[in-house]
Amino acid sequence: MLFSEMSLPATLQRALATRGYLESTPVQEAIVTGAHGARDLLVSSKTGSGKTIAFGLNVIPPMLNDAGLVATPPGAPRALIIAPTRELAQQVAREITWLGADAKLRVVTCVGGVDPRSEQRALFQGCHVVVGTPGRLVDHITRKALDTKNIHSVVLDEADEMLDMGFREELETILDAVPTERQILMFSATMPRETIALANRYTKDAVRVSAAQASAGHEDIETVVHVIAGQDRDRAVVNVLRQHEATSTLVFCGTRDGAAHLAATLIERGFSAVAFSGELSQPERQRALQSVRDGRTRVLVCTDVAARGLDLPAVGLVIHADPPADAAALQHRSGRTGRAGKKGTAVVLVPVHRLRQVERLFAVARLKTRPSPVPNAERIRELDAVRVLERLKGKIEALQPEDLTDTAALLALCTPEQLAALVLQGERSNLPDPESLDATERGNDPARAKKPTFAKKSADDLAGTAGDDRSVDGNADSVWFHVNIGRFQNADPKWLLPMICRRGAVEKRDIGRIVILDSETRFEIAPGRAEQFGKAASQLDEREPRVFIRRFDPSRAGSDEQPARRGPPPGPPPRQAPRYNRDATGPAGDAPPRRRPAGDGGEGVPKRKIRAR
Ligand code: ADP
Ligand code: MG
């Protein structure tokens, strides 16, 4: 239904039309035409279906006069919108602000991580709508900065997530603080039992609105499942990124550590990636999101909580690097793409041992699983060959006569074949290398690997192991490290071994198995030496400023549910997570430039610095 056919205040109509929103989404239509008035609402509607404007269109009109302008000057707020994370609250506030701009609606945002005094000042100056996170809203209510006496609507956006995050008490405090004659609106893509229980306590004959079968999947999102060997997880992510070449991608990990680690790995591989999790400071989070919005960062590696509800318009691809915990998580993660009618792809990577669980979860979500193989390196190179030619064709067609003036000197220097080779080399040098997925292709079971031995080895022995034995496993007492040099950088135990010894101040006999992969080498360190090794080796060395050695947790490659990390990783990734952020988001950071990780030029163009091909 067109907005113009709805009975909406003229100022809101104008705001929607200016924005280019002519047709309402099903949930918006259900809310506006349902004429629910001031009744409580429990609304479920799929991700990206425009729930924010839907509640805006319910909450704002009662505050407006016949001319479509706010009926009262800014004062004690009339509506309260609660969202689980800062970013989501700010996103909602932006949306409500433009929607109400012509109506002269004043919106104040109250979120953690921001100076509360400036929020207090804004609240004292008065407003019509307050948007905030539960904790900060409670603070302002307790300090009497937020006057709740006029509140007639309370919106709980992503109500289920707020309960999951343990905000029950805060929500109850807020709901107890507002007048009893108020309307409560709960919005989410999923409405689990606990949310409905809270709703039952606080709402009166709430109307259930479910638009476009919230739980039946999402027709704009194509879901792909790849079954992998656990230890191939990072490499599978690389290949999936390379296969799709989406403008922006969200990659989901089960844990913060996992997200920081994967972001670091991707940066080393030459992707412009950034980790996005709750542990970043507020400015860092803002910068990370901004860098994705303006295209400098193409891969955001995040946790479930951090990304809940985020509306990043250009996300074409979502990768579940670790499988989602349940059907709701699947839906919310995948729902970051396919927004507002655009098409998107969600790729779920499933380690063999979790396939059954994921199949059950898909059954609950009413999605069909038909696992397909992850594209291997060869397949990616085939795709590259086609795409590189396509790109060059476009560039050739775009050439203007004046572009052809200075070419004679070069043509005199080389044959057309040589020239073509150079051009191809240039095109390919921007592409991170695809990875071999040998373990996955062989169907390796990570649980079957043998215990390490720390016998003295000759370089030749090690060379024999290299590249062959990929069954890096989660053996209880093996401590694995990794260095960002692999076969493509001509890794050879002959020089790698002395380097590892020098960087980590250990001897050759302290090094166990060595596994050389395409772009990295993993090696075992005797458990007794691991801690000291980690400390020493994570120091950067002037001689190899771009060689990073860091702890590698093979068990995590197989499962994201790994609270039992063996100590904090001593290497660069966690320490650098915010710095990656800085690197990808501009010069405002504080890290010495020497630490800029290989491959991130800071302008979002993937570059490989360590390359020997
Ligand atoms: P949800 O909360 O349901 O996940 P959002 O409210 O974040 O979805 O909306 C997703 C995106 O769709 C936003 O960028 C929003 O501005 C846009 N959008 C909302 N309603 C419409 C509409 N009627 N027409 C076009 N785009 C819309
Ligand atoms: Mg939303």
Side-chain angles (χ1 to χ4, degrees), residues 242-265:
R242 289 284 278 98
Q243 175 193 10
H244 291 270
E245 289 200 334
T247 317
S248 322
T249 300
L250 243 55
V251 182
F252 282 90
C253 291
T255 62
R256 282 179 188 185
D257 274 356
H261 180 278
L262 182 56
T265 304

Side-chain angles (χ1 to χ4, degrees), residues 86-87 89-90 108-122 131 133 136 139-140 143 281-283 285-286:
R86 303 156 190 179
E87 285 72 27
Q90 283 163 334
V108 167
T109 317
C110 300
V111 295
V114 168
D115 182 5
R117 283 166 306 180
S118 64
E119 292 175 355
Q120 270 169 16
R121 272 194 299 278
V131 188
T133 46
R136 185 52 73 91
D139 282 353
H140 285 309
R143 298 206 177 130
S281 74
Q282 184 59 14
R285 286 156 67 127
Q286 289 301 343

Side-chain angles (χ1 to χ4, degrees), residues 3 16 19-25 27-28 45-53 91 95 98 157-158 309-311 313 335-336 339-340:
F3 284 119
L16 288 162
R19 190 87 180 181
Y21 295 178
L22 302 177
E23 175 123 33
S24 63
T25 64
V27 67
Q28 292 162 357
S45 163
K46 67 184 181 180
T47 53
S49 60
K51 292 189 282 295
T52 318
I53 291 178
Q91 182 181 301
E95 194 108 331
W98 69 250
D157 195 13
E158 309 281 356
L310 279 187
D311 184 41
R336 295 312 107 219
R339 299 182 73 74

